[in-house]
C-alpha cells in the first residue's frame, strides 16, 4: 500500500493518464489540444502570486524566489506581486483563489497540502478546482532527533513506536493530516507500527517544531530537509532518515528510508497553480514562463542554496502527477483514520 | 576580549561608507512605513528585499535589520498622535501617548518614545553581543508548557488594565480571547465561529480590532465632544526636564531588559513584550493610577520593550537559524537566498556577518535618534490640523491600513463594527485594553496548552513540574492576588466616598494595545 | 456620550444573552476524533462562554458605581455655543476668516442630537466602504474626505478639496507604486 511512492505508480501513469484525460480537460480549461500559440495572451496588470502560508515558510520562499527570478529575467511582462494568505494549512488561500475563477492574474504556489487538506475534509476546494500550471522542484522530509537522543537510526525509532507509541512525541510544522503528519504516518505505517497511535504535536511551522525538539520538549521532529540542514551540520540534531527515493544533496550523509529498510517514499514537491477556467493561451503563457525560469541560472543558484532539486513538469504532466499522488495520499489517510 | 576585538572589527564593517548608507536607507524606510497604520515591519522588509538581493549579503542584512527596528521605532508616532497604532508592537504606547498628545504634550510623548526606543534598542544590541550564543539555551528552554505559563502571566495583566471595575475588565478580556479563537483551529483544523465566512477562517486580524476599537472609536468620541477637550493643536512642551528624564529612566531600563528577553523567545515578540512591560510598570509605579491618562512612564515602558524585543528576536534567528516571528521569518528567507545559512555555526563561519550586523545596530539606533528627534515638532504639527479635517483623514488611514493587509472589504466592515464596539465600550465604562490583551495572548495560550497536554498525554501536572512553567504560574498567581486584594481594599475604602475615580475609568479605555502579529509584526 | 450610556443592568442583560448564544454555539463545535487529542477544539470556547455568563451575572447583581458626568463631554451650554460657531463658519467664513482662532478649533457637525450626528458619520463611512472598490480608492477617498470635512464644518472649501484629492492621490501612489500594495483603481484608468 505504502510503497506507492513515485516508483510504484510510475507504471500506472499511462493508465491513469488515459483515464483522467477528461478530468484534466476540465481542470485545464479547454484542454491541451490546440496549442495555437502561447503569445496570444499577456497579463495586463500585476500578477497576484499567492503563498497560502505565512511569510518565511516553504511556500512563501518558493513564491518570493520564483517571483524574483521571473521579474528579473523578464519572463513575465507584468510584475509578480507576492501575497500571503496564511491559515488552515492552505485552505484559506485556496478559498481565496477559488473565489476568483477565470482570473488570469492570480497564481498560487502549491505542494502536497493541496491534496492532503481536502482529503482530510478540511477544505472547500480540492486540487481539481484549480488549474495546474507547473511543478518546479522536490525536497525530502527529514526525520530528526536531538544529538543526545537514544534513537540512532530510523529502525530504533520505529521499534519504539511499535512497542510504546505513547512515550514518543513527534513535532511537526503543520496540522494533523497535513504534510508533515502524512510524511510521518506513511513511514511509521510502512515500518509496521500503528500511525494513528503516534503522538503527533502540530506547531506553527518547522521553525517552532525544531525549537521544541532542541529544547527537549518533544522527542522527534519532522521537517523539510532544507529546514534542518544547518542544525544537522552543526551537530545539534541528528537526521535519522530522509523520505526521498535517493539520498538528498542537502543531507548527503543521511540514509533514505529505503536504506533503513522501510519501503516508503515521500517527496515534498512544489509547483504553481492558477484559478479554474483559464484559457489555454493563459495557461500556455505561464507554463512557458516557468519552464524558462527553471532553466535560468539565478533560479538554479537559489534552488541550490535553498536545498531544492529541480523537477519541472508542465501543466498537463503536473495534472497527471497530481492525480497519481492524490490516490496515494488517500490510501495513507484512510489507514490513519484521517480521511473524511 | 575576543568578542570586543570582533566587535571592533564589526564596526569596521558597519562603518564603511556603503554600509552606513544602507543603515540610513533601511531605518529611514522602516520609520516611514512603520508610521502608516496597518503596515508593519513585514511589509517594510518585503518591500526592501528585491533591493537587498542586489547587494552583498552583509550590507543586505544590515539594511533589512535597519528596516525592522526602524519600523518598530516609527510605529509609535501614529500611536501617539492619532491613537492609531502603526505597528502591533506599539499599541501599548498609545495607552499613555495619546492622552499626552491630547493634553498638548505630543512633543514630549514623541521625545520619550524616541529616547526609550533608542535605549531599548541599544540595550538589546549589547545583550545580543554579549550573550547571544548562550541565550539560545533560553530560547529552546521554552516549550509548550512554558509558553502557556507565560501567556497566563501575561493575561493576568487584564486585572491591571481593568480600571476600577474589575468585572467589566474581565468581561472585556474574555471577549478578547473569544475573538482570538475565531477561525480554523491550528491543532485539529476544526472550524470555530466562522459562520461559513471564508474571511473568518484565518481568524480576526489583530490590527483590525486595534484600529477599530482605538482609532475609529476615538473618531466617534471626538465627534461627540464637538471638538472640545484637547487635541487642539497647542503644543506646550517638547523638551523633557531633568526630572522627567530621571522619572523615565527606571521604566526604560527595566523595559529594555524585559523586552530583550521576551524577544529572545520565538512567538512572543515585541507586542507581548510591550504589554508585559506596560502592565509591570503600572503595578510598580507609585503613580500607577495615572497610567492611561498620560503618564510618560507609560510611554517609556512599552517603547523600550518593543525595541529591545525587536533586537532580541535576532537571537534565535542568528544562533539557531529558527525564526522567532513573522518578521524574522522573512529575514531568514532573505538570508538563505543571499547564501547565508544562519544557525549555530554562523558565528564561527561568518563572523564578519554577525559582528557587522551587531555593530550596524548600534549605529542604526543612533541614526534613528538623530533622524527622529528633529522631526518631532513637525510630526506634532499633525495635531494642528483642524478636527473637521483630521477626523475623516484618520478614518482614511485606518481603512487603508486594513485594506492594504487583506484586500477585503469584509475586513473594512469588521473595522467599522469594532469601531462601534469600541465606542459603546467606552461609553459604558468597559476598558478596551483587556480586550486587546486577550486577543493577543488568548490564541497562543490555547495552542500551547493543547500542545503541552498532547505531549504529556493529558497530564495536567506538566505545567507545575517544569521549573520555568511553575515559576511563571506562581508569578501569575501572585500578580493576580495582589491587585485583587488592593481592589478589594479600595472598594472598601470607596464605599460612601466620592466618585473621584470614576473618571479614570472613562479615560482608561482610550488606550490602545499592541499586537501579535508577531504573527505579523514580530 | 451620555446617550450611549446604558444602565449597568441593561448592558449585563444584553451581554448575558449574547454569552448564552455563544455558549450554545460552542457546544455545537464537533469533537475531533480522528487522532486522540486531550483537549477538544470546543473545550476552551465552552469554558469561556460559561465564564462570560457568570461575569454577566456578577455585573447584573453588582451595585452600579455612582453616576459620574462624562468629564470631557460638553455641556448643553457649550454645545449651543458650538452650534452657533459652526453656522457662522459654514455660512460666512471666507478663507481669510477661517484662519482665525475660532476656525482653527471648529465645532464639529451640524445637528444638535449627538445620536443623529453619529449616525451621519457612520453612514458616511459605510458609504465610503461601499464605494471603495466600485468607485476606486482615489475618487471614493477624495469624496469621503471632502464631503465629511465640509459637513463637519471645515470652512476653507478650496483647501478642503485640495487636501481630499491630494491625500487620496498621494496615498494611492505611495501604496500602489511605492509599496506594491494594490488599492482598487475603480473607474479611473490608472
Amino acid at each position: 500500500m505504502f510503497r506507492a511512492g513515485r516508483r510504484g505508480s510510475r507504471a500506472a501513469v499511462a493508465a491513469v493518464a488515459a483515464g483522467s484525460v477528461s478530468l484534466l480537460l476540465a481542470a485545464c480549461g479547454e484542454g491541451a489540444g490546440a496549442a495555437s500559440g502561447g503569445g496570444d495572451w499577456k497579463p495586463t496588470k500585476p500578477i497576484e502570486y499567492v503563498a497560502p502560508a505565512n511569510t518565511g515558510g516553504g511556500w512563501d520562499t518558493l513564491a518570493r524566489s520564483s517571483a524574483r527570478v521571473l521579474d528579473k529575467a523578464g519572463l513575465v511582462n507584468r510584475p509578480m506581486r507576492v501575497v500571503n494568505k496564511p491559515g488552515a494549512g492552505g485552505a484559506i488561500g485556496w478559498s481565496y483563489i477559488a473565489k476568483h475563477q477565470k482570473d488570469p492574474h492570480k497564481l498560487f504556489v502549491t505542494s502536497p497540502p493541496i491534496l492532503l487538506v481536502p482529503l482530510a475534509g478540511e477544505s472547500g476546494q480540492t486540487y481539481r478546482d484549480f488549474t495546474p500550471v507547473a511543478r518546479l522542484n522536490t525536497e525530502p522530509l527529514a526525520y530528526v532527533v536531538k544529538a543526545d537522543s537514544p534513537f540512532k537510526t530510523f529502525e530504533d525509532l520505529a521499534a519504539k513506536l511499535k512497542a510504546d507509541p505513547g512515550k514518543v512525541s513527534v513535532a511537526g510544522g503543520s496540522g494533523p493530516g497535513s504534510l508533515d503528519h502524512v510524511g510521518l504516518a506513511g513511514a511509521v505505517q510502512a515500518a509496521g507500527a500503528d500511525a494513528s497511535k503516534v503522538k503527533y504535536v502540530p506547531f506553527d511551522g518547522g521553525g517552532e517544531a525544531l525549537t521544541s525538539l532542541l529544547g527537549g520538549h518533544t522527542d522527534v521532529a519532522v521537517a523539510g530537509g532544507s529546514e534542518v540542514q544547518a542544525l544537522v551540520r552543526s551537530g545539534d540534531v541528528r537526521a535519522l532518515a530522509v523520505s526521498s527515493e535517493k539520498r538528498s544533496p542537502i543531507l548527503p550523509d543521511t540514509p533514505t528510508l529505503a536504506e533503513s529498510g522501510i519501503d516508503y517514499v515521500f517527496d515534498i514537491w512544489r509547483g504553481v497553480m492558477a484559478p479554474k477556467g483559464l484559457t489555454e493561451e493563459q495557461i500556455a503563457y505561464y507554463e512557458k514562463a516557468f519552464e524558462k525560469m527553471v532553466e535560468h541560472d539565478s533560479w538554479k543558484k537559489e534552488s541550490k542554496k535553498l536545498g531544492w532539486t529541480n523537477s519541472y513538469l508542465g501543466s498537463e504532466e503536473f495534472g497527471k502527477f497530481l492525480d497519481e499522488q492524490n490516490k496515494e495520499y488517500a490510501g495513507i489517510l484512510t489507514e490513519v483514520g484521517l480521511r473524511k | 576580549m575576543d568578542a570586543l576585538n570582533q566587535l571592533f572589527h564589526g564596526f569596521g564593517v558597519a562603518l564603511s561608507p556603503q554600509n552606513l548608507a544602507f543603515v540610513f536607507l533601511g531605518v529611514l524606510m522602516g520609520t516611514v512605513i512603520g508610521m502608516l497604520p496597518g503596515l508593519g515591519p513585514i511589509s517594510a522588509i518585503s518591500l526592501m528585499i528585491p533591493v537587498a538581493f542586489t547587494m552583498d549579503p552583509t550590507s543586505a542584512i544590515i539594511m533589512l535589520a535597519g528596516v525592522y527596528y526602524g519600523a518598530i521605532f516609527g510605529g509609535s508616532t501614529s500611536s501617539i498622535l492619532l491613537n492609531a497604532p502603526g505597528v502591533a508592537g506599539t499599541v501599548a504606547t498609545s495607552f499613555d501617548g495619546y492622552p499626552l498628545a491630547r493634553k498638548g504634550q505630543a512633543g514630549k510623548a514623541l521625545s520619550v518614545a524616541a529616547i526609550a526606543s533608542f535605549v531599548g534598542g541599544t540595550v538589546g544590541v549589547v545583550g545580543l553581543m554579549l550573550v547571544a550564543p548562550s541565550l539560545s539555551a533560553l530560547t529552546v528552554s521554552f516549550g509548550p508548557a512554558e509558553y502557556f505559563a507565560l501567556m497566563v502571566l501575561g493575561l493576568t495583566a487584564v486585572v491591571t488594565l481593568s480600571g476600577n471595575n474589575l468585572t467589566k475588565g474581565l468581561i472585556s478580556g474574555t471577549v478578547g480571547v473569544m475573538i482570538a479563537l475565531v477561525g480554523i483551529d491550528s491543532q485539529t483544523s476544526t472550524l470555530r465561529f466562522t459562520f461559513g465566512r471564508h474571511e473568518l477562517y484565518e481568524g480576526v486580524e489583530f490590527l483590525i480590532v486595534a484600529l477599530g476599537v482605538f482609532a475609529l472609536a476615538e473618531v466617534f468620541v471626538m465627534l461627540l465632544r464637538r471638538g472640545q477637550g484637547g487635541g487642539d493643536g497647542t503644543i506646550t512642551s517638547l523638551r523633557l526636564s531633568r526630572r522627567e528624564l530621571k522619572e523615565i529612566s527606571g521604566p526604560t531600563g527595566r523595559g529594555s531588559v524585559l523586552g530583550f528577553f521576551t524577544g529572545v523567545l520565538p512567538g512572543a515578540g515585541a507586542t507581548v513584550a510591550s504589554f508585559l512591560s506596560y502592565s509591570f510598570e503600572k503595578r510598580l509605579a507609585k503613580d500607577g493610577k495615572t497610567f492611561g491618562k498620560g503618564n510618560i512612564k507609560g510611554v517609556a515602558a512599552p517603547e523600550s520593550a518593543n525595541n529591545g524585543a525587536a533586537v532580541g528576536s535576532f537571537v534565535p534567528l542568528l544562533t539557531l537559524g529558527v525564526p522567532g516571528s513573522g518578521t524574522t521569518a522573512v529575514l531568514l528567507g532573505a538570508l538563505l537566498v543571499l547564501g547565508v545559512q544562519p544557525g549555530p555555526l554562523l558565528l564561527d563561519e561568518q563572523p564578519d556577518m554577525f559582528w557587522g550586523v551587531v555593530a550596524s545596530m548600534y549605529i542604526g539606533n543612533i541614526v534613528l535618534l538623530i533622524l527622529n528627534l528633529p522631526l518631532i515638532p513637525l510630526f506634532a504639527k499633525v495635531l494642528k490640523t483642524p478636527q473637521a479635517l483630521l477626523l475623516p483623514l484618520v478614518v482614511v488611514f485606518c481603512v487603508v491600513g486594513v485594506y492594504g493587509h487583506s484586500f477585503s472589504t469584509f475586513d473594512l466592515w469588521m473595522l467599522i463594527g469594532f469601531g462601534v464596539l469600541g465606542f459603546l465600550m467606552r461609553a459604558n465604562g468597559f476598558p478596551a485594553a483587556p480586550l486587546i490583551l486577550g486577543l493577543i495572548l488568548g490564541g497562543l495560550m490555547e495552542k500551547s496548552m493543547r500542545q503541552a497536554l498532547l505531549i504529556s498525554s493529558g497530564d495536567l501536572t506538566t505545567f507545575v513540574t517544569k521549573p520555568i512553567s511553575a515559576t511563571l504560574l506562581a508569578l501569575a498567581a501572585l500578580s493576580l492576588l495582589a491587585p485583587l486584594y488592593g481592589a478589594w481594599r479600595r472598594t472598601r475604602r470607596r464605599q460612601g466616598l466620592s466618585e473621584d475615580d470614576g473618571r479614570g475609568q472613562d479615560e482608561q479605555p482610550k488606550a490602545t494595545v499592541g499586537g501579535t502579529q508577531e504573527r505579523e509584526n514580530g | 456620550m451620555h446617550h450611549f450610556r446604558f444602565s449597568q443592568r441593561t448592558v449585563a442583560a444584553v451581554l448575558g444573552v449574547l454569552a448564552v448564544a455563544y455558549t450554545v454555539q460552542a457546544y455545537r463545535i464537533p469533537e475531533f476524533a480522528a487522532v486522540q487529542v486531550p483537549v477538544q477544539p470546543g473545550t476552551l470556547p465552552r469554558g469561556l462562554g460559561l465564564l462570560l455568563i457568570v461575569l454577566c451575572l456578577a455585573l447584573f447583581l453588582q451595585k452600579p458605581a455612582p453616576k459620574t458626568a462624562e468629564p470631557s463631554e460638553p455641556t448643553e451650554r457649550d454645545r449651543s455655543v458650538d452650534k452657533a460657531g459652526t453656522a457662522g463658519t459654514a455660512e460666512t467664513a471666507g478663507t481669510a476668516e477661517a484662519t482665525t482662532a475660532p476656525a482653527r478649533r471648529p465645532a464639529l457637525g451640524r445637528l444638535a442630537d449627538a445620536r443623529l450626528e453619529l449616525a451621519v458619520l457612520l453612514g458616511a463611512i459605510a458609504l465610503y466602504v461601499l464605494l471603495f472598490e466600485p468607485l476606486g480608492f482615489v475618487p471614493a477617498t477624495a469624496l469621503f474626505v471632502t464631503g465629511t470635512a465640509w459637513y463637519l464644518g471645515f470652512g476653507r472649501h478650496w483647501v478642503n478639496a485640495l487636501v481630499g484629492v491630494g491625500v487620496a492621490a498621494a496615498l494611492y501612489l505611495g501604496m500602489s507604486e511605492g509599496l506594491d500594495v494594490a488599492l482598487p483603481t475603480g473607474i479611473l484608468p490608472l
Side-chain angles (χ1 to χ4, degrees):
Chain A
M1 177 81 232
F2 295 102
R3 58 175 315 281
R6 304 228 315 283
R7 275 166 300 158
S9 22
R10 200 162 282 158
V13 167
V16 172
S20 58
V21 164
S22 51
L23 259 177
L24 274 166
L25 288 181
C28 301
E30 277 129 63
S36 54
D40 297 343
W41 180 87
K42 277 191 172 75
T44 52
K45 53 181 189 178
I47 300 146
E48 192 175 319
Y49 196 19
V50 173
N54 244 319
T55 35
W59 275 336
D60 181 64
T61 314
L62 178 70
R64 288 182 193 277
S65 45
S66 52
R68 206 161 36 241
V69 176
L70 286 170
D71 279 340
K72 217 166 49 187
L75 296 170
V76 281
N77 68 330
R78 284 285 184 272
M80 305 287 290
R81 188 168 287 174
V82 176
V83 174
N84 293 87
K85 297 273 173 195
I92 280 141
W94 304 327
S95 69
Y96 170 76
I97 291 286
K99 275 187 288 186
H100 293 86
Q101 277 197 24
K102 298 192 180 157
D103 180 347
H105 296 98
K106 291 207 162 41
L107 294 174
F108 68 101
V109 290
T110 188
S111 63
I114 187 71
L115 307 176
L116 292 164
V117 177
L119 281 171
E122 287 150 9
S123 164
Q125 291 78 34
T126 72
Y127 72 105
R128 292 195 179 88
D129 293 313
F130 306 104
T131 308
V133 174
R135 188 183 81 174
L136 302 177
N137 58 45
T138 54
E139 180 192 334
L141 270 182
Y143 311 88
V144 297
V145 294
K146 223 179 144 188
D148 58 8
S149 163
F151 305 123
K152 303 286 179 210
T153 64
F154 196 86
E155 288 100 314
D156 292 349
L157 174 64
K160 182 72 177 172
L161 285 174
K162 264 190 250 185
D164 203 354
K167 283 279 185 307
V168 183
S169 54
V170 187
S174 54
S178 198
L179 191 141
D180 294 351
H181 187 207
V182 170
L184 170 77
V188 166
Q189 206 88 336
D194 182 353
S196 65
K197 291 227 168 62
V198 172
K199 284 204 296 194
Y200 174 78
V201 187
F203 285 83
D204 286 350
E208 282 189 23
L210 287 170
T211 317
S212 87
L213 177 79
L214 287 170
H217 308 286
T218 46
D219 306 308
V220 186
V222 192
S226 58
E227 287 177 299
V228 303
Q229 203 179 352
L231 291 169
V232 168
R233 222 157 45 88
S234 70
D236 288 278
V237 305
R238 178 167 55 240
L240 298 178
V242 289
S243 63
S244 49
E245 189 178 350
K246 289 190 190 132
R247 285 197 181 204
S248 162
I250 50 175
L251 295 168
D253 300 328
T254 307
T256 63
L257 283 173
E259 287 176 57
S260 315
I262 288 148
D263 195 4
Y264 180 70
V265 171
F266 183 95
D267 271 321
I268 310 172
W269 43 265
R270 298 194 176 90
V272 180
M273 289 177 112
K276 199 175 182 169
L278 260 57
T279 66
E280 181 199 319
E281 288 81 17
Q282 290 162 346
I283 298 169
Y285 177 86
Y286 289 119
E287 201 180 8
K288 216 167 100 196
F290 282 106
E291 191 175 357
K292 283 191 185 149
M293 182 197 75
V294 295
E295 291 308 319
H296 202 271
D297 274 349
S298 59
W299 174 255
K300 286 183 176 164
K301 235 186 265 169
E302 287 199 15
S303 290
K304 196 169 169 240
K305 288 176 192 158
L306 292 163
W308 297 335
T309 315
N310 264 355
S311 56
Y312 177 84
L313 289 180
S315 172
E316 199 181 334
E317 295 81 35
F318 186 29
K320 288 175 196 160
F321 171 77
L322 287 172
D323 287 336
E324 182 192 309
Q325 288 274 298
N326 194 49
K327 238 190 197 162
E328 182 191 332
Y329 296 160
I332 299 172
L333 283 174
T334 310
E335 300 256 338
V336 192
L338 277 166
R339 174 88 190 266
K340 282 200 188 122
Chain B
M1 252 334 58
D2 193 35
L4 209 58
N5 272 334
Q6 299 264 35
L7 182 68
F8 279 128
H9 179 64
F11 270 110
V13 173
L15 282 171
S16 77
Q18 175 199 358
N19 285 342
L20 263 181
F22 286 129
V23 172
F24 187 78
L25 181 66
V27 297
L28 181 68
M29 287 304 295
T31 317
V32 171
I33 296 173
M35 278 179 208
L36 296 171
L39 289 185
I42 292 195
S43 322
I45 291 176
S46 308
L47 170 74
M48 299 301 281
I49 278 184
V51 185
F53 285 139
T54 62
M55 299 157 45
D56 110 84
T58 306
S59 307
I61 184 72
I62 283 176
M63 184 187 72
L64 292 177
V67 172
Y68 181 22
Y69 50 78
I72 301 264
F73 199 108
S76 59
T77 308
S78 44
S79 287
I80 290 170
L81 294 179
L82 304 177
N83 209 21
V87 173
T90 64
V91 178
T93 310
S94 65
F95 288 173
D96 280 279
Y98 185 68
L100 276 170
R102 281 185 37 103
K103 286 197 234 164
Q105 303 186 341
K108 190 180 280 179
L110 290 169
S111 305
V112 171
I115 294 168
S117 297
F118 170 74
V119 175
T122 307
V123 168
V125 181
V126 173
L128 184 63
M129 178 188 83
L130 292 180
V131 286
S134 46
L135 269 186
S136 58
L138 174 69
T139 298
V140 302
S141 68
F142 267 66
E146 288 79 8
Y147 274 107
F148 170 74
L150 182 68
M151 294 306 134
V152 170
L153 177 61
L155 279 171
T156 61
V158 165
V159 177
T160 327
L161 296 174
S162 278
N164 294 316
N165 190 325
L166 184 62
T167 317
K168 286 182 177 175
L170 289 175
I171 289 177
S172 191
T174 310
V175 172
V177 181
M178 284 175 168
I179 298 173
L181 300 188
V182 170
I184 296 180
D185 169 30
S186 71
Q187 296 297 292
T188 63
S189 310
T190 309
L191 290 175
R192 297 192 291 185
F193 301 102
T194 50
F195 308 103
R197 300 293 316 208
H198 285 305
E199 293 92 341
L200 288 173
Y201 279 22
E202 213 171 325
V204 181
E205 172 65 47
F206 163 76
L207 270 163
I208 298 175
V209 185
L211 287 175
V213 166
F214 293 112
L216 206 53
E218 178 61 23
V219 164
F220 298 148
V221 172
M222 267 159 73
L223 176 69
L224 293 194
R225 282 202 184 108
R226 308 274 177 168
Q228 300 279 307
D232 56 3
T234 41
I235 298 157
T236 50
S237 45
L238 286 170
R239 290 264 174 123
L240 294 174
S241 69
R242 199 167 286 255
R243 193 181 58 79
E244 284 167 326
L245 277 176
K246 211 177 138 197
E247 209 176 297
I248 61 164
S249 62
T252 305
R254 287 185 291 268
S256 307
V257 175
L258 180 74
F260 175 69
F261 281 102
T262 314
V264 165
L265 303 174
T271 311
V272 175
S274 62
F275 265 88
L276 287 177
S277 168
Y278 181 86
S279 60
F280 180 64
E281 289 302 331
K282 181 173 178 174
R283 265 172 225 182
L284 205 67
K286 285 199 194 85
D287 54 351
K289 295 205 73 171
T290 63
F291 270 57
K293 297 176 195 167
N295 188 322
I296 51 170
K297 289 187 226 165
V299 175
E303 271 307 299
S304 53
N306 63 27
N307 281 273
V311 178
S313 66
F314 278 83
V315 170
L317 175 69
L318 294 178
T319 62
L320 291 174
V322 165
S325 65
T327 313
T328 44
V330 180
L331 277 175
L332 174 64
L335 284 175
L336 287 174
V337 176
L338 287 162
V340 179
Q341 174 80 68
L345 299 180
L346 179 73
L347 203 52
D348 297 332
E349 291 179 350
Q350 285 167 303
D352 268 20
M353 243 273 321
F354 183 87
W355 294 105
V357 171
V358 169
S360 81
M361 284 178 168
Y362 279 107
I363 297 164
N365 270 295
I366 294 167
V367 171
L368 269 175
L369 196 67
I370 296 173
L371 194 72
N372 276 273
L373 280 178
L375 289 178
I376 283 174
L378 197 71
F379 290 145
K381 285 224 173 70
V382 167
L383 295 179
K384 287 211 162 184
T385 315
Q387 287 213 356
L389 190 57
L390 185 64
L391 219 132
L393 287 178
V394 174
V395 175
V396 169
F397 278 116
C398 293
V399 164
V400 171
V402 169
Y403 191 85
H405 239 273
S406 58
F407 305 99
S408 138
T409 40
F410 180 86
D411 283 0
L412 293 181
W413 293 115
M414 280 209 289
L415 172 73
I416 297 178
F418 280 111
V420 173
L421 175 74
F423 172 74
L424 289 175
M425 284 171 68
R426 274 182 70 174
N428 290 287
F430 284 85
L435 179 110
I436 298 290
L437 189 72
L439 177 60
I440 296 166
L441 302 181
L444 266 170
M445 180 201 70
E446 193 211 19
K447 187 187 84 180
S448 42
M449 174 186 73
R450 290 164 70 185
Q451 287 168 340
L453 288 175
L454 189 59
I455 292 170
S456 77
S457 303
D459 183 1
L460 281 166
T461 57
T462 182
F463 296 117
V464 289
T465 50
K466 291 181 188 285
I468 297 179
S469 155
T471 313
L472 289 172
L473 285 175
L475 279 175
L478 200 77
S479 67
L480 262 189
L481 293 178
L484 275 181
Y485 173 70
W488 175 77
R489 247 184 19 183
R490 237 181 300 138
T491 337
R492 285 281 302 256
R493 199 152 28 99
R494 213 182 31 199
Q495 269 167 6
L497 230 124
S498 85
E499 81 248 349
D500 190 37
D501 312 357
R503 308 178 43 141
Q505 195 170 297
D506 283 319
E507 291 299 324
Q508 174 76 20
K510 195 174 306 144
T512 336
V513 187
T516 357
Q517 235 3 149
E518 271 332 271
R519 274 175 241 155
E520 147 79 3
N521 281 313
Chain C
M1 205 133 126
H2 62 275
H3 292 298
F4 303 93
R5 178 174 297 167
F6 305 102
S7 87
Q8 189 162 307
R9 297 217 150 172
T10 318
V11 173
V14 172
L15 266 175
V17 170
L18 290 175
V20 170
Y22 179 92
T23 314
V24 170
Q25 196 71 24
Y27 273 92
R28 285 164 63 186
I29 295 174
E31 296 284 298
F32 183 75
V35 176
Q36 228 193 339
V37 288
V39 184
Q40 286 294 336
T43 311
L44 188 64
R46 284 164 207 171
L48 286 173
L50 296 174
L51 173 66
L52 192 57
I53 292 176
V54 171
L55 287 170
C56 289
L57 267 178
L59 190 66
F60 191 82
L61 299 175
Q62 200 175 73
K63 204 171 117 226
K67 264 213 165 177
T68 59
E70 164 72 17
S72 38
E73 189 171 11
T75 62
E76 287 302 323
R77 189 185 54 80
D78 288 342
R79 206 176 287 145
S80 57
V81 170
D82 291 349
K83 226 172 90 192
T86 311
T89 317
E91 280 157 26
T92 64
T95 35
E97 282 139 290
T99 49
T100 56
R104 223 181 6 211
R105 288 191 48 183
L108 294 173
R110 291 158 187 257
L111 302 168
D113 189 331
R115 283 168 292 192
L116 285 178
E117 200 70 286
L118 194 68
V120 170
L121 179 63
L122 264 178
I125 300 177
L127 196 68
Y128 177 38
V129 169
L130 272 178
L131 295 177
F132 196 73
E133 279 182 341
L135 209 57
F137 175 76
V138 177
T141 303
L143 270 180
F144 172 74
V145 171
T146 312
T148 312
W150 166 78
Y151 177 83
L152 292 176
F154 185 61
R156 288 182 282 170
H157 303 303
W158 276 108
V159 175
N160 189 1
L162 274 178
V163 168
V165 176
V167 165
L171 269 176
Y172 181 84
L173 285 178
M175 298 286 281
S176 291
E177 303 302 317
L179 295 185
D180 247 17
V181 176
L183 294 169
T185 50
I187 52 166
L188 293 185
L190 287 166

